[in-house]
Every structure is written in structure tokens, then in C-alpha cells.
Amino acid sequence: MSFTYETRVDQYGNTLYCYMSEDGSQSPTLHVYPGDELMVKLTNALPSSTTPSFQKHAMPGMGALPEFSISGQSHEASPNCGGMVMTDTSTNLHYHGTNTPPTCHQDEVIKTLINAGETFQYDVHFPLDEPPGLYWYHPHIHGISEAAVQGGASGAIVVEGVENINHDVAGLSERTLIIRDNLVPGAPNGDDVPAWDLSLNYSPVAYPEYKPVVIPVRPLQKQFWRVVNAAADTILDLQVQYDGVAQDLQVVAIDGVPTGSKDGEFEGRTLSKKHFLLAPAARVEFILRAPPKSVKSAMLLTLNVDTGPDGDNDPQRPLATLKVNEGAANPSLTVANVSAPPPLHMRFEGLAKAKPVTQRKLYFSEVLSDPTDPNSPTNFYITVDGAKPTLFDPDNPPAIVTTQGSVEDWTIENRALENHEFHIHQIHFLVLERDGKTVEGQYRDMINVPYWKGSGPYPSVKLRMDFRGPDIGDFVYHCHILGHEDSGMMAIIRVLPSSSPIR
């Protein structure tokens, strides 16, 4: 398929971005199967940059690459893939959550640049054991990711086959909901003003009216909802209420991985939740039963989220109204019927019982760039404990080096007065603990780490990182509040081939 990356300015002066397909669809949902190759020809149709080099975050050219040392050996930074120098109109594509290779023309984002007027070919290999579920795509150019994603440049990816692992969804009508955020027009002040407005499938739910999107449903019909938090900065806490009463969300998958499908339990397990916290970039898939005709108010909303004294205002607000009608049209897609038994091998199998080869501690922190000026920009860091906090640069040496086949336990602390959201590319992790307390593990690629209150222990999560897959090379981990990532809160990990021991 072919995409063009396009832009326009809306009536409020906000710059919008979109991936347009050949048939005129805006950022369409892509459907693939495990083992597929996704081929995307992307043309950057933005006007040429008026700034020859976006100096603050510019990526290097092909020559005179800096050197750095690992295990006493000198290494040269890799050249760029595609364009040679970053501009303020550069783009690329990240296939978020997928366990695909971090190589040029696949899911490499550190050095891949597609500049105005350029065309770039992606050929992304999905592994045969890719978990069936919901993923998404978006641009990942450090320094301008927030603006592009807030502008609307994002879309869903569905890896098919979840019905073979969790039979509860087989044959249900399927609905994909993509929640995005954007600037509040006019940037008004006030305690009730959200930091960012929201939209649902490109339909605005704007302050102060918060006019919800209307979703037609048949009374008591079960539907399978796939929800992407494609917001650049906004944390969601989803709930469905019928006449003010919270309803059961029958959760089937989180971050693309069917719930319960781990460590020998190859058939998924449906979990009942009254609400679900969805970090930026996280996904949740659930079965929802529509209300009876007697219900007067049926709403999908996001609850208030306390993001900390330095965080954003994230108030409760509606997203959609469920309108009950006997003649309501079904969504255009239906989940397939069960066509195969659960697979004999599942990705991440045995991870819970695997012995980690090392323990690491990382932490989020932030500081004013000029401590004497309270209005100066904030620098954001993610740091391996014991190392010097360093702002991300694509030519930085890797902060962590490991070997393919390894299993590691990472503790992620939040030492800041606002929430941060941990994400790592190419792999998933198993959640082991929150604040030192064991939790029932679920595989994720996103995890919220609540804010520190200024005293007492730092909030933390303990994660089991799975490097047993085939992917090697350099990729990144970062906070997925993209304003934080753009301001430095990202670092590189290098996975060496299993024949390359680390000293």
C-alpha cells in the first residue's frame, strides 16, 4: 500500500498531519496476520522545510560519524536510513508494540528520516508468533513527535486471530476506536480547562461543550471494542456508565497480547474491569454489552486522572454516547469464527519462570534547564541508576547493552512530581511488581508509573524484559508522554547477537 504524509492548518490555526492512502482514507486501520510482510511506500508530501537543519535535534550526515566505546572496543555510530539531515518536516513510521526488527526499512526509528518530497519503502516482517491483537503506527522523529501525533498522524494495526485464543470474541461485531489529543483552541486558562482536548476517530470532543460522539448500538448486543490511546500526552481512564452505573468491561487483550495467554495457558482468559487506565500509546480490547432500551444515558467516558503537581490537568469528560436502536447498523467488521486451535507455541512462553541474568534499576527525573529561571524549559531524563542523566541524542552510545537470549528484571522508578509512562520498542515485558508488591503478571509494552509525592519511597514497577526473540541491534526505551520524550526522556539499548558476550 502507499501513504502520503500530508498537512493542513485548521480553523483554529493548529497544524494537522495525516497519512493518506491511495483511496483517500485517512490513516486507515491496517489488518495483518502473524507471518505477514507489511509493505508501505511512504511519500512525505509536506512542503520543503524553511529551516535547512533543525539544529536543536538535528541528526548527523553520512560522514564523520562520532565514535564511542563498548567493552573497550571502538564503535562508529551508524549512518542515517533515508534522509541525511533532520528538518522540521521530517517523518518516519514506528509500528508501535510490534515485535518486528529494528532495522532500516522495517521498525528502525533512531536514524530513519523521510524528508519533504522523498519516498521511502517499508517492508515490515511480522513474526509467526506475533500475538494477535491491537497495535498502532505513528511518526517517531525525536524533537517533533509530539506535534506530529497531536496533529493526528496515527492509525491502528490489527494482527488477526484473537478469536483462536479467546473464543468469547468469535463472531462479534468489531469496533476500533482511536482516541487522540490536540491543543485546546485559544489556550484558555482556568482550573476546569484540560491540558489537551480529545477526539474520537477524528471527531472532536472539545472543551467546554464536550459534545460526545454518537455510537449506534442494538439493545443488549455484545460488541468487541478495540481502543487505542493515540494521544501524545493524555492519560485516559476509560469507563462505560449506564445511567451513572459503571459497567463491566470484559477485557480480552492488553497492548496486543490476549489476557491469560501465557506460560502454558494458551487459551485466553477474559477479565472483568469497571474501568481501565490507558497510558498514552497503550491499547485495551474488551467485550461490551449494549444497554437495554430502558437506559436513559449510556456513556463512554474518561475519568479524572491525578497526574501530579507538575502534571497536566486531565479531567473527567465524555467521549461517546451509546444510542440504542433496534435498527442500528452493525459495525462494518465482524470478528472471524474460530478457525484453528490455540498455537502450540506462544511468544513469551516460560518468561515468568525464567531466571533473569541481571537486575537493573532505571529512573525518570526532570530538572529546569536553568535552575535560576523558573520559566526555563524542563529537561527530562530516563537514567540507569549510577549513570549520569543525559538528554537523548541519536548519536549517544547505548545506555544498556545486553545479549540476545537474555532475560532481565528492570525496576523503573519515578523520581518526578508527575506521571511518566515507560515504553520499550521491539519487545514486551511481564509486569511483576508495583511498589514492591507482587501483581498478577500481564504482558505489556506500556506501563504507567505514578508521580512521586515529594517524600517517601519513589513509585516503581518491576518488569521482566524478554530478549529471547530474534531481534538484535539498537532500539529505544522512553516515556511515551511525547512532550517528555521530545525533551530528552529516551535512551538506546543495544541487543548483541548471542555469540557476542558482554564484558
Side-chain angles (χ1 to χ4, degrees):
M1 72 161 38
S2 296
F3 279 170
T4 55
Y5 185 55
E6 300 184 7
T7 187
R8 70 175 179 86
V9 177
D10 69 10
Q11 66 270 35
Y12 304 110
N14 296 326
T15 302
L16 307 181
Y17 299 93
C18 191
Y19 295 110
M20 297 292 294
S21 65
E22 292 174 295
D23 65 2
S25 299
Q26 300 179 53
S27 304
T29 297
L30 308 179
H31 294 262
V32 301
Y33 287 86
D36 277 357
E37 295 182 23
L38 175 62
M39 304 184 73
V40 178
K41 183 172 74 173
L42 176 59
T43 298
N44 186 341
L46 268 58
S48 297
S49 172
T50 57
T51 306
S53 175
F54 194 52
Q55 293 294 335
K56 181 180 178 183
H57 300 280
M59 294 187 181
M62 296 286 285
L65 297 175
E67 292 187 349
F68 51 88
S69 177
I70 299 175
S71 301
Q73 296 185 348
S74 179
H75 295 260
E76 190 177 71
S78 60
N80 286 351
C81 175
M84 294 178 63
V85 178
M86 177 183 169
T87 75
D88 55 5
T89 56
S90 298
T91 193
N92 61 17
L93 273 176
H94 170 45
Y95 301 86
H96 183 111
T98 65
N99 299 271
T100 53
T103 57
C104 186
H105 297 284
Q106 294 204 58
D107 192 26
E108 199 288 326
V109 301
I110 304 171
K111 298 284 184 175
T112 300
L113 296 169
I114 309 167
N115 291 328
E118 296 178 348
T119 296
F120 188 87
Q121 180 68 49
Y122 281 100
D123 185 1
V124 184
H125 297 239
F126 285 77
L128 284 167
D129 60 358
E130 186 74 279
L134 184 61
Y135 304 82
W136 66 300
Y137 59 91
H138 63 89
H140 205 294
I141 300 289
H142 178 67
I144 56 175
S145 293
E146 180 188 37
V149 173
Q150 279 195 348
S154 59
I157 303 173
V158 173
V159 177
E160 300 286 4
V162 67
E163 69 281 354
N164 293 323
I165 295 178
N166 190 318
H167 298 175
D168 291 349
V169 301
L172 295 183
S173 294
E174 175 183 335
R175 192 180 295 277
T176 300
L177 303 176
I178 304 177
I179 302 168
R180 301 175 174 91
D181 62 2
N182 56 272
L183 298 171
V184 180
N189 293 316
D191 293 340
D192 65 330
V193 181
W196 317 101
D197 262 340
L198 296 174
S199 66
L200 182 62
N201 290 358
Y202 285 129
S203 295
V205 185
Y207 170 87
E209 293 86 2
Y210 296 134
K211 183 178 179 181
V213 175
V214 176
I215 298 177
V217 293
R218 297 178 182 179
L220 298 176
Q221 180 188 33
K222 283 186 177 181
Q223 292 189 357
F224 182 45
W225 286 18
R226 304 181 188 260
V227 185
V228 183
N229 183 358
D233 300 288
T234 303
I235 304 169
L236 305 173
D237 192 359
L238 297 181
Q239 186 170 82
V240 173
Q241 295 180 0
Y242 296 164
D243 289 338
V245 178
Q247 300 299 299
D248 286 334
L249 308 179
Q250 299 296 320
V251 175
V252 170
I254 300 169
D255 288 354
V257 182
T259 49
S261 61
K262 61 186 179 70
D263 298 323
E265 300 174 15
F266 298 151
E267 295 188 13
R269 179 163 46 90
T270 302
L271 308 176
S272 182
K273 302 286 186 181
K274 293 296 187 183
H275 66 104
F276 195 91
L277 187 74
L278 208 60
R283 289 87 63 212
V284 65
E285 299 167 74
F286 56 87
I287 299 167
L288 179 70
R289 183 184 289 275
K293 289 189 290 186
S294 59
V295 167
K296 296 179 181 179
S297 172
M299 302 289 296
L300 169 68
L301 63 156
T302 177
L303 305 176
N304 177 73
V305 178
D306 179 5
T307 66
D310 288 352
D312 293 335
N313 185 29
D314 197 354
Q316 177 171 314
R317 45 195 149 161
L319 295 169
T321 295
L322 282 67
K323 185 175 182 180
V324 178
N325 188 325
E326 291 280 4
N330 281 325
S332 58
L333 291 178
T334 300
V335 181
N337 290 316
V338 176
S339 59
L344 296 176
H345 168 73
M346 295 286 288
R347 197 174 188 96
F348 326 123
E349 185 177 341
L351 183 60
K353 297 179 180 178
K355 184 177 180 180
V357 299
T358 192
Q359 308 266 346
R360 303 184 194 270
K361 180 185 290 185
L362 292 76
Y363 65 92
F364 293 115
S365 65
E366 52 190 79
V367 65
L368 291 174
S369 54
D370 180 357
T372 66
D373 180 4
N375 296 317
S376 63
T378 301
N379 289 336
F380 292 84
Y381 303 98
I382 184 168
T383 309
V384 177
D385 197 33
K388 179 182 178 181
T390 302
L391 297 174
F392 177 78
D393 185 282
D395 288 324
N396 284 347
I400 294 174
V401 180
T402 190
T403 302
Q404 180 190 21
S406 298
V407 170
E408 301 188 358
D409 283 357
W410 292 12
T411 297
I412 316 293
E413 290 183 344
N414 189 353
R415 302 181 183 180
L417 300 177
E418 62 177 316
N419 286 20
H420 291 297
E421 318 297 326
F422 179 79
H423 171 56
I424 187 167
H425 290 208
Q426 319 318 136
I427 71 167
H428 280 67
F429 46 77
L430 177 62
V431 183
L432 300 176
E433 297 178 1
R434 274 195 176 274
D435 298 328
K437 297 179 181 178
T438 301
V439 297
E440 183 178 1
Q442 172 65 32
Y443 294 98
R444 296 176 180 249
D445 58 62
M446 287 297 317
I447 191 75
N448 172 70
V449 190
Y451 65 91
W452 182 50
K453 295 182 179 179
S455 62
Y458 298 117
S460 67
V461 293
K462 186 176 182 180
L463 314 173
R464 181 151 294 170
M465 316 299 289
D466 190 1
F467 300 105
R468 299 173 301 168
D471 294 330
I472 59 174
D474 289 4
F475 47 95
V476 292
Y477 55 89
H478 59 92
C479 177
H480 217 290
I481 294 176
L482 292 181
H484 301 169
E485 181 267 302
D486 280 344
S487 297
M489 198 170 260
M490 182 160 68
I492 297 170
I493 180 171
R494 173 166 295 168
V495 180
L496 299 173
S498 57
S499 59
S500 302
I502 305 173
R503 297 193 299 271

